C-alpha cells in the first residue's frame, strides 16, 4: 500500500487516477492547486507524488518539484504533462523528476511506472545475487542458473533479465524496457521488445514446470512465480 | 490644403523624393557658396597685388623725379584708359591739399595703416567702396593708391542671380521628379497591393504579374509569387492531412461504437460486457497512440523541438538500433550486415534519430528476403545512412508517396501508415533529406543529414 499525493487541477483526470489507485488499495490525497500541493508534499511523508505540469494561476508543476528537491525531499515524483514535446521530458527530468508521462496515457502504464518508482527507493537494489523460485542471477559474475542448469545469455538478454528480476512481481511496459535496456526513449516499432522477451523466456523457462516470465496483455511483461494469478492483485498482499 | 499635404506626406515615395531633392539643393548651395568664397578670395589677393605693385611703381617715380614726376605719372596712369574708372589715386601735399588723382577727398578719417584695407571713399562725387593703401612720402605728401570694389560687387550680384535661378530651377525639377517618381512607385506598388488585397479576400490563386526584367520590383514580385505558391501548397497539404486524419479517426471510432452498441443490447452476459469494455479501451488506446504520433509529427514539422539537440554519435546509434533488431531479424531468417560504420558526430536528438532509424530498419527487416545492409558514411559536411534490403522492393512510382500521412504501400498491412511520415519529419527536423531508390533487388533508403560546422571538430 502506497501513500500517493496527486497534484492535478483537472478534476476529472484526478478523480480517474484516484479511483484507479484506490481500487488497487492505495491511499490517495488529491490537491487541486500548486500552493496546497506543495504544502502537503512538504508536510507529510509520501511514497510517491504524481505531479501535473500545468496548474492553475500559471503555476508550472516543475517549480514545485524544484522547491521540493531544494528542500532535500527525495520522494519519487512522476511528472504528468499534456505537452508532448521531447523538450519537456528533458525539462521534467532535469528539474528532479524521476519519471515522466505524457497525457493521454494508459492507466496501466502509469501504475507500472509508479510501481518501479516506489520500489526504487527501497534498499535491495544493490543486491549481488537475485533469486526467485529456482532462478538465480549473480549480477557480478553475470551467471544465470535455472534449477541448477546454467543458462547462457546475450548481454542485452542479461540486462533484460536483471531488470525483470529487480522488478519481480511487477508489470513493466515495453517502453520501460526499451528505456532501461537500450537507453533510448521512443515508441518501439512492432515487436522488437516482444521478440527479445520471448527469446529470453525460451531460454529461462525451457523445460521448467513453472513459467516465470509472463505476458500481461496490452501492457507489458512480468517476472513472477505466482502462478496464473491476477498479477496486479497478487502484488497487493 | 493642410490635409492634402498631410496625405502627400504619408506617401513614402513623396517623402523620399522630397528629401532627396532637398538634399540635392542643399548640396548645390554649399558648392556655390564654396566657389563664391574661393573666387572672392582670389580676387582680393589679385587686387592687393595690383595695388602694391602700383604703389611700388609710383614710389620709384617719386624717388627718381620728385613730386612733379609723381604727379605726371599719376596723370598718365589715369588717362591711359586701362581700368582707369576702377583705379583710385590721390596725392595730397603736406597740408592735405589735393595735388592729383581721381578722389574728391582723402579718406583721412582712417588711421595710416601699413597694409591694404577696405574703406568708403567718394570718387567723382559718388560714394563707393574700395581697397586702399595709404603711404606718407618722405616729402610729407600723402599718396593713396586703391582699386574700387564695383567689379567685385558685380560678380557677387551675378553669382547671387545665378544661385537664385539655379534654386528655382532645382525646385521645379524636384517637384517634377517627385511627381514622376511617386507616380511610378505608386503604379508598381498598387499592382502588388491589388493582388494582395484579392488574396486577402480569399482568391488564393491570384498572382502578381511579373514582367521579364531584373529590377527590384520584378524580383520582389517574383519572391512574393514564390511565397504564395509555397503557402498555397502548404494549405492544400494541411487540408489534405486534416481530411485524412478525420477519415482515419472515423473508422476506429465507428468500430468502437459498434462494439459498445452490441454490448448494450439487452441480455448481454457479464463476460460479453467485459469483453466489449476491454475492446473499447484497447481501441481508444490505439487512437491515443495515433493522435500522439500525429502531434509529435506536427511538432517536428513545426521545428519546435531543436532545444533538446546535443552532439550525438550517429554510428553508435545505428549500431545500437541494429543490435536492438538482431533478435527480431534472426527470428525472421534475415541477417543484418554493417557494411561500414564511419564515425560521425552530428547535432541532434538521440531518441528521435534512434526512433527514425528503428523505423527504417524495421521496414527493411519486414520486407527483406534474406539480408539487410546498413552503412554510415561521411561525405564532407553530410552524413549518409544507407539501408538496403533484398526484398521485392517497390515500383518507382510509389517513391513519391512514401512518407505521406497515412500512406500505406500495402493497404492490408498493419500499422497506421505514419512510420515513414515520422521518419521524414525527424530527418526534416535535423535539416536532412530522405530518398528511395531501387537496390535491384529490394529497396534502398538513403538518409542525408547535415553535419554542422561546430560538430565537425568533434568527429575524429
Amino acid at each position: 500500500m502506497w501513500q500517493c499525493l496527486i497534484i492535478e487541477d483537472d478534476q476529472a483526470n484526478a478523480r480517474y487516477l484516484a479511483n484507479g489507485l484506490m481500487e488497487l488499495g492505495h491511499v490517495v490525497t488529491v490537491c487541486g492547486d500548486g500552493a496546497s500541493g506543495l504544502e502537503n508534499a512538504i508536510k507529510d511523508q509520501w511514497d510517491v507524488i504524481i505531479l501535473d505540469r500545468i496548474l492553475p494561476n500559471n503555476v508550472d508543476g516543475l517549480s514545485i518539484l524544484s522547491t521540493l528537491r531544494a528542500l532535500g525531499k527525495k520522494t519519487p515524483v512522476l511528472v504528468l504533462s499534456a505537452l508532448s514535446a521531447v523538450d519537456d521530458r528533458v525539462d521534467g527530468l532535469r528539474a528532479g523528476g524521476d519519471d515522466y508521462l505524457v497525457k493521454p496515457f494508459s492507466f496501466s502504464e502509469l501504475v507500472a511506472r509508479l510501481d518501479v518508482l516506489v520500489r526504487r527507493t527501497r534498499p535491495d537494489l544493490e543486491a549481488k545475487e537475485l533469486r526467485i523460485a529456482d532462478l538465480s542471477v549473480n549480477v557480478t559474475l553475470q551467471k544465470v542458473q535455472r534449477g541448477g542448469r546454467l543458462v547462457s545469455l546475450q548481454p542485452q538478454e542479461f540486462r533484460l533479465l536483471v531488470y525483470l528480476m529487480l522488478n519481480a512481481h511487477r508489470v513493466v511496459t515495453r517502453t520501460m524496457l526499451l528505456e532501461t535496456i537500450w537507453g533510448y526513449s521512443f515508441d518501439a516499432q512492432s515487436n522488437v521488445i516482444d521478440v527479445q522477451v520471448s527469446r529470453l523466456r525460451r531460454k529461462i523457462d525451457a523445460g521448467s514446470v513453472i513459467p516465470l516470465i509472463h505476458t500481461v496483455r496490452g501492457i507489458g511483461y512480468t517476472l513472477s512465480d505466482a502462478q496464473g494469478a491476477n498479477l496486479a492483485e497478487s502484488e497487493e498482499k | 490644403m493642410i490635409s492634402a499635404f498631410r496625405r502627400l506626406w504619408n506617401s513614402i515615395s513623396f517623402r523620399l523624393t522630397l528629401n532627396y531633392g532637398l538634399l540635392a539643393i542643399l548640396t548645390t548651395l554649399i558648392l556655390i557658396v564654396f566657389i563664391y568664397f574661393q573666387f572672392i578670395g582670389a580676387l582680393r589677393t589679385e587686387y592687393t597685388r595690383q595695388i602694391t605693385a602700383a604703389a611700388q611703381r609710383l614710389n620709384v617715380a617719386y624717388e627718381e623725379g620728385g613730386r612733379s614726376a609723381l604727379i605726371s605719372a599719376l596723370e598718365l596712369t589715369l588717362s591711359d584708359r586701362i581700368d582707369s574708372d576702377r583705379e583710385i589715386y590721390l596725392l595730397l601735399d603736406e597740408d592735405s591739399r589735393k595735388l592729383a588723382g581721381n578722389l574728391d577727398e582723402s579718406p583721412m578719417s582712417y588711421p595710416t595703416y601699413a597694409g591694404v584695407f577696405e574703406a568708403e571713399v567718394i570718387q567723382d562725387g559718388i560714394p563707393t567702396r574700395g581697397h586702399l593703401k595709404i603711404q606718407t612720402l618722405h616729402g610729407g605728401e600723402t599718396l593713396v593708391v586703391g582699386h574700387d570694389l564695383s567689379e567685385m560687387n558685380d560678380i557677387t550680384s551675378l553669382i547671387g542671380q545665378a544661385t537664385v535661378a539655379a534654386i528655382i530651377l532645382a525646385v521645379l525639377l524636384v517637384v517634377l521628379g517627385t511627381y514622376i517618381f511617386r507616380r511610378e512607385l505608386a503604379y508598381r506598388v498598387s499592382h502588388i497591393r491589388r493582388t494582395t488585397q484579392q488574396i486577402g479576400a480569399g482568391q488564393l490563386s491570384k498572382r502578381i504579374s511579373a514582367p521579364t526584367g531584373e529590377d527590384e520590383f520584378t524580383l520582389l514580385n517574383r519572391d512574393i509569387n514564390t511565397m504564395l505558391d509555397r503557402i498555397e501548397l502548404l494549405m492544400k497539404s494541411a487540408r489534405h492531412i486534416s481530411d485524412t486524419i478525420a477519415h482515419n479517426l472515423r473508422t476506429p471510432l465507428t468500430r468502437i461504437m459498434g462494439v459498445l452498441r452490441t454490448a448494450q443490447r439487452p441480455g448481454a452476459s457479464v463476460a460479453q460486457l467485459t469483453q466489449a469494455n476491454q475492446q473499447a479501451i484497447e481501441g481508444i488506446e490505439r487512437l491515443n497512440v495515433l493522435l500522439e504520433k500525429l502531434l509529435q509529427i506536427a511538432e517536428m514539422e513545426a521545428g519546435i523541438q531543436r532545444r533538446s539537440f546535443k552532439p550525438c554519435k550517429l554510428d553508435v546509434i545505428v549500431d545500437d538500433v541494429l543490435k536492438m533488431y538482431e533478435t527480431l531479424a534472426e527470428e525472421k531468417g534475415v541477417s543484418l550486415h554493417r557494411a561500414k560504420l564511419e564515425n560521425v558526430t552530428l547535432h541532434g536528438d538521440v531518441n528521435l534519430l534512434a526512433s527514425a532509424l528503428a523505423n527504417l530498419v524495421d521496414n527493411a527487416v519486414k520486407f527483406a528476403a534474406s539480408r539487410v545492409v546498413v552503412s554510415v558514411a561521411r561525405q564532407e559536411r553530410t552524413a549518409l545512412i544507407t539501408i538496403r534490403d533484398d526484398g521485392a522492393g517497390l515500383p518507382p512510382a510509389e517513391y513519391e508517396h512514401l512518407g505521406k500521412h497515412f500512406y500505406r504501400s500495402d493497404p492490408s498491412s498493419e500499422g497506421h501508415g505514419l512510420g515513414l511520415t515520422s521518419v521524414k519529419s525527424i530527418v526534416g527536423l535535423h535539416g536532412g533529406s530522405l530518398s528511395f531508390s531501387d537496390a535491384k533487388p529490394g529497396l534502398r533508403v538513403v538518409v542525408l543529414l547535415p553535419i554542422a560546422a561546430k560538430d565537425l571538430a568533434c568527429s575524429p
Side-chain angles (χ1 to χ4, degrees):
Chain A
M1 186 187 77
W2 316 326
Q3 305 277 342
C4 307
L5 175 65
I6 300 175
I7 307 175
E8 156 75 291
D9 64 315
D10 178 352
Q11 286 194 3
N13 194 41
R15 198 177 307 125
Y16 166 67
L17 292 179
N19 287 342
L21 287 170
M22 282 190 285
E23 274 170 31
L24 293 175
H26 305 300
V27 178
V28 181
T29 307
V30 178
C31 291
D33 65 284
S36 66
L38 184 61
E39 198 191 317
N40 271 303
I42 297 168
K43 198 176 64 192
D44 292 316
Q45 197 65 44
W46 304 97
D47 289 312
V48 68
I49 297 173
I50 301 167
L51 177 65
D52 188 33
R53 264 203 74 164
I54 300 162
L55 294 169
N57 307 323
N58 286 327
V59 175
D60 186 342
L62 292 189
S63 60
I64 294 180
L65 183 52
S66 312
T67 316
L68 209 58
R69 291 294 183 247
L71 290 171
K73 286 269 179 185
K74 294 200 173 64
T75 320
V77 175
L78 185 135
V79 182
L80 289 183
S81 168
L83 311 163
S84 68
V86 176
D87 289 342
D88 298 321
R89 183 185 294 273
V90 178
D91 280 350
L93 297 181
R94 197 178 292 147
D98 299 280
D99 205 350
Y100 202 92
L101 204 54
V102 173
K103 284 183 193 172
F105 48 84
S106 68
F107 186 71
S108 43
E109 177 83 30
L110 176 78
V111 173
R113 281 172 187 265
L114 289 178
D115 212 357
V116 170
L117 282 187
V118 173
R119 165 93 174 198
R120 199 192 280 174
T121 51
R122 295 182 186 165
D124 60 352
L125 237 179
E126 281 152 31
K128 301 277 181 288
E129 177 96 11
L130 299 167
R131 185 176 288 278
I132 185 163
D134 55 350
L135 173 66
S136 72
V137 175
N138 187 316
V139 183
T140 16
L141 297 174
Q142 304 224 337
K143 246 167 75 178
V144 181
Q145 279 188 310
R146 178 84 206 261
R149 169 176 62 91
L150 207 64
V151 185
S152 88
L153 295 178
Q154 300 283 323
Q156 72 253 33
E157 288 169 342
F158 183 78
R159 284 206 298 273
L160 192 60
L161 179 64
V162 170
Y163 186 70
L164 286 170
M165 294 278 280
L166 283 172
N167 295 292
H169 311 298
R170 282 152 230 274
V171 183
V172 290
T173 64
R174 289 176 181 82
T175 6
M176 287 160 77
L177 285 175
L178 190 81
E179 278 170 26
T180 328
I181 312 301
W182 296 103
Y184 290 101
S185 153
F186 63 88
D187 279 331
Q189 286 293 301
S190 62
N191 43 359
V192 194
I193 300 293
D194 298 349
V195 172
Q196 284 174 27
V197 175
S198 58
R199 176 170 292 198
L200 178 68
R201 174 162 29 204
R202 276 205 300 277
K203 288 188 177 175
I204 297 294
D205 289 342
S208 302
V209 190
I210 313 162
L212 287 180
I213 300 176
H214 309 269
T215 306
V216 184
R217 199 170 158 245
I219 305 173
Y221 297 95
T222 187
L223 191 140
S224 172
D225 55 354
Q227 213 167 1
N230 182 319
L231 292 155
E233 278 173 16
S234 75
E235 161 59 21
E236 309 307 327
K237 39 199 169 294
Chain B
M1 178 67 197
I2 291 172
S3 73
F5 181 75
R6 183 159 298 162
R7 211 173 52 239
L8 266 182
W9 188 251
N10 280 336
S11 150
I12 178 91
S13 52
F14 176 76
R15 285 203 308 267
L16 272 179
T17 22
L18 194 68
N19 288 344
Y20 179 71
L22 289 179
L23 192 70
I25 292 175
L26 192 70
T27 318
T28 322
L29 272 180
I30 289 173
L31 210 64
I32 290 173
V33 166
F34 179 72
I35 289 173
Y36 171 76
F37 278 109
Q38 284 289 314
F39 197 78
I40 294 293
L43 220 52
R44 218 175 271 260
T45 319
E46 174 62 16
Y47 287 167
T48 310
R49 199 185 59 75
Q50 274 179 21
I51 291 166
T52 318
Q56 200 80 38
R57 192 160 44 79
L58 292 172
N59 256 319
V60 171
Y62 180 74
E63 297 286 331
E64 283 173 359
R67 183 183 289 187
S68 55
L70 180 56
I71 292 171
S72 57
L74 274 179
E75 272 162 3
L76 186 71
T77 317
L78 282 173
S79 59
D80 67 358
R81 291 184 177 272
I82 305 167
D83 254 1
S84 47
D85 54 335
R86 297 195 196 284
E87 287 163 344
I88 296 169
Y89 292 106
L90 183 64
L91 183 65
L92 300 173
D93 68 5
E94 54 273 28
D95 300 323
S96 298
R97 277 190 303 265
K98 178 176 170 181
L99 293 175
N102 57 358
L103 270 195
D104 292 357
E105 61 186 63
S106 162
M108 261 344 224
S109 46
Y110 297 94
T112 13
Y113 174 66
V116 175
F117 62 94
E118 198 180 319
E120 196 82 33
V121 291
I122 297 164
Q123 192 181 21
D124 303 330
I126 307 156
T128 173
R129 286 188 78 80
H131 279 122
L132 300 177
K133 185 179 170 72
I134 300 176
Q135 286 173 292
T136 309
L137 302 174
H138 47 72
E141 300 92 342
T142 306
L143 176 63
V144 180
V145 181
H147 199 289
D148 84 354
L149 283 175
S150 61
E151 196 183 25
M152 209 173 327
N153 290 341
D154 287 350
I155 292 169
T156 311
S157 70
L158 203 68
I159 292 180
Q161 281 167 12
T163 309
V164 171
I167 289 176
I168 291 173
L169 196 67
V171 168
L172 282 175
L173 283 175
V174 164
V175 168
L176 187 71
T178 310
Y179 176 71
I180 294 175
F181 187 76
R182 202 176 97 75
R183 241 185 56 158
E184 173 70 9
L185 206 63
Y187 172 73
R188 304 295 292 268
V189 172
S190 72
H191 207 59
I192 300 177
R193 281 195 60 205
R194 212 167 35 242
T195 315
T196 45
Q197 277 167 353
Q198 283 170 332
I199 292 169
Q203 293 172 272
L204 287 176
S205 55
K206 284 279 173 199
R207 292 293 178 270
I208 307 162
S209 62
T212 49
E214 291 295 323
D215 74 23
E216 291 85 341
F217 272 101
T218 318
L219 293 178
L220 177 66
N221 289 357
R222 255 180 241 156
D223 289 348
I224 293 177
N225 283 346
T226 319
M227 182 185 82
L228 290 172
D229 288 344
R230 174 91 183 134
I231 292 174
E232 203 184 6
L233 191 79
L234 284 175
M235 281 196 48
K236 270 186 188 154
S237 77
R239 195 172 300 154
H240 173 77
I241 291 169
S242 49
D243 284 354
T244 21
I245 290 175
H247 179 78
N248 276 273
L249 290 186
R250 202 166 49 196
T251 319
L253 279 177
T254 320
R255 201 175 302 140
I256 296 167
M257 290 275 280
V259 169
L260 291 177
R261 284 244 166 78
T262 319
Q264 215 183 17
R265 277 202 299 250
S269 71
V270 174
Q272 276 171 326
L273 279 175
T274 319
Q275 200 202 355
N277 187 33
Q278 181 65 26
Q279 279 177 355
I281 288 174
E282 280 171 17
I284 292 169
E285 278 188 352
R286 263 200 304 278
L287 271 178
N288 256 344
V289 172
L290 178 73
L291 286 173
E292 185 68 29
K293 278 191 178 153
L294 281 171
L295 269 177
Q296 212 190 11
I297 289 168
E299 278 170 359
M300 280 188 293
E301 280 172 352
I304 54 170
Q305 289 190 336
R306 288 198 194 103
R307 199 151 56 86
S308 59
F309 276 22
K310 280 194 280 281
C312 29
K313 293 186 189 304
L314 204 56
D315 47 315
V316 175
I317 300 175
V318 171
D319 194 52
D320 284 348
V321 169
L322 287 177
K323 274 188 202 145
M324 214 180 277
Y325 274 89
E326 228 136 58
T327 321
L328 180 73
E330 258 174 57
E331 299 282 314
K332 296 205 166 198
V334 173
S335 57
L336 291 179
H337 294 273
R338 295 158 173 83
K340 58 171 175 184
L341 298 183
E342 283 180 35
N343 289 335
V344 179
T345 307
L346 55 76
H347 208 62
D349 185 292
V350 178
N351 291 319
L352 292 179
L353 287 173
S355 162
L357 286 165
N359 240 306
L360 294 174
V361 173
D362 194 83
N363 277 340
V365 169
K366 205 179 284 170
F367 296 112
S370 65
R371 56 190 265 137
V372 170
V373 184
V374 181
S375 72
V376 178
R378 204 168 95 200
Q379 283 178 354
E380 286 170 29
R381 295 221 163 162
T382 313
L384 205 131
I385 309 166
T386 315
I387 297 148
R388 181 159 53 93
D389 67 65
D390 61 350
L394 280 171
E398 292 230 5
Y399 295 163
E400 62 166 317
H401 298 296
L402 294 175
K404 282 188 183 167
H405 287 74
F406 301 110
Y407 181 79
R408 276 178 288 178
S409 58
D410 175 11
S412 64
S413 67
E414 263 184 62
H416 304 297
L418 287 178
L420 274 180
T421 316
S422 152
V423 174
K424 215 172 160 184
S425 62
I426 291 172
V427 172
L429 184 72
H430 288 81
S433 65
L434 189 67
S435 63
F436 307 92
S437 56
D438 195 347
K440 291 178 187 162
L443 183 69
R444 182 191 292 114
V445 185
V446 179
V447 182
L448 293 178
L449 291 169
I451 306 171
K454 59 177 169 180
D455 293 318
L456 276 175
C458 313
S459 296

